[in-house]
Amino acid sequence: LELEEVMELVELIRALEPYPGRGWSDETPQYIIPDVYIVKVDDDYKVMLNDDGLPKLRVSKIYRRLLKSKAENGKETQGYLKDKLNSALWLIKSIDQRQRTIHKVANSILKFQREFFEKGLDYLKPLVLKDVAEDIQMHESTVSRASTNKYMHTPQGIFEIKYFFHSGI
């Protein structure tokens, strides 16, 4: 091809729409990031939490040192630092507890719905919050909160965790 023809073709390619569906919707796509992955390892399934969105929280050593140096700090400052340290530790513990609860719920769902993970949608069994709550020895409301707006990546696709809870098919 002549250089002039190549330049014309380049301009044609530049004029093409890389997202052909964009003309029918102006909404920004909402991507789902799974909170839990069900992964098949050999003949068994493993539950893996997605920690990518969670920052690694820890209390700064500077604040720990400030709390220990009582002589330099007044009583009011010491009380303030202790209160903030306790709040930080509570937050870290709460996030860890939340992750453990999600892991327990996912393991229980895996136990009840194993055939679904192996064979597909036709093998989804009726399951209610109460079954999982009893299995992991937690209250139904805790299971409900732990599974709300959470997604699970399975060999069969990505599903909202609440999808697995229904009384009949």
Side-chain angles (χ1 to χ4, degrees):
L1 295 176
E2 296 291 321
L3 181 58
E4 198 171 292
E5 284 180 89
V6 171
M7 294 306 290
E8 285 177 22
L9 291 173
V10 166
E11 289 305 314
L12 174 69
I13 291 171
R14 282 187 181 153
L16 295 175
E17 172 62 64
Y19 304 100
R22 185 175 11 200
W24 285 274
S25 175
D26 59 352
E27 291 181 24
T28 306
Q30 298 295 320
Y31 298 103
I32 295 174
I33 299 170
D35 300 277
V36 179
Y37 290 90
I38 303 292
V39 181
K40 188 167 188 175
V41 179
D42 298 324
D43 287 335
D44 201 16
Y45 290 93
K46 301 287 182 204
V47 173
M48 295 172 35
L49 293 176
N50 182 3
D51 293 333
D52 290 345
L54 291 177
K56 301 295 180 217
L57 299 177
R58 58 183 165 68
V59 177
S60 170
K61 291 178 184 177
I62 295 169
Y63 289 106
R64 289 183 188 261
R65 267 188 260 134
L66 281 172
L67 195 58
K68 287 181 182 176
S69 61
K70 294 178 183 176
E72 296 173 18
N73 301 324
K75 194 173 187 176
E76 191 175 310
T77 305
Q78 198 70 17
Y80 176 81
L81 288 172
K82 191 171 186 170
D83 182 49
K84 296 305 172 189
L85 177 67
N86 286 339
S87 294
L89 292 174
W90 178 85
L91 176 64
I92 291 168
K93 183 180 169 187
S94 296
I95 292 171
D96 183 55
Q97 179 66 37
R98 173 187 175 268
Q99 290 298 91
R100 282 185 293 182
T101 301
I102 293 169
H103 194 269
K104 286 179 184 179
V105 168
N107 266 318
S108 184
I109 290 171
L110 174 60
K111 183 171 102 178
F112 285 112
Q113 300 288 6
R114 187 170 181 91
E115 278 192 286
F116 161 80
F117 294 110
E118 291 176 357
K119 299 175 184 173
L121 284 173
D122 293 339
Y123 294 88
L124 191 63
K125 297 177 184 171
L127 181 66
V128 290
L129 288 169
K130 185 178 180 182
D131 296 333
V132 172
E134 287 175 357
D135 184 47
I136 64 174
Q137 298 175 354
M138 289 187 170
H139 195 272
E140 277 183 64
S141 63
T142 304
V143 174
S144 178
R145 282 192 309 274
S147 58
T148 298
N149 296 323
K150 306 284 187 309
Y151 291 86
M152 183 184 291
H153 183 277
T154 73
Q156 305 301 328
I158 297 176
F159 297 90
E160 189 172 7
I161 292 179
K162 290 274 188 183
Y163 177 81
F164 295 99
F165 299 114
H166 54 82
S167 56
I169 299 175

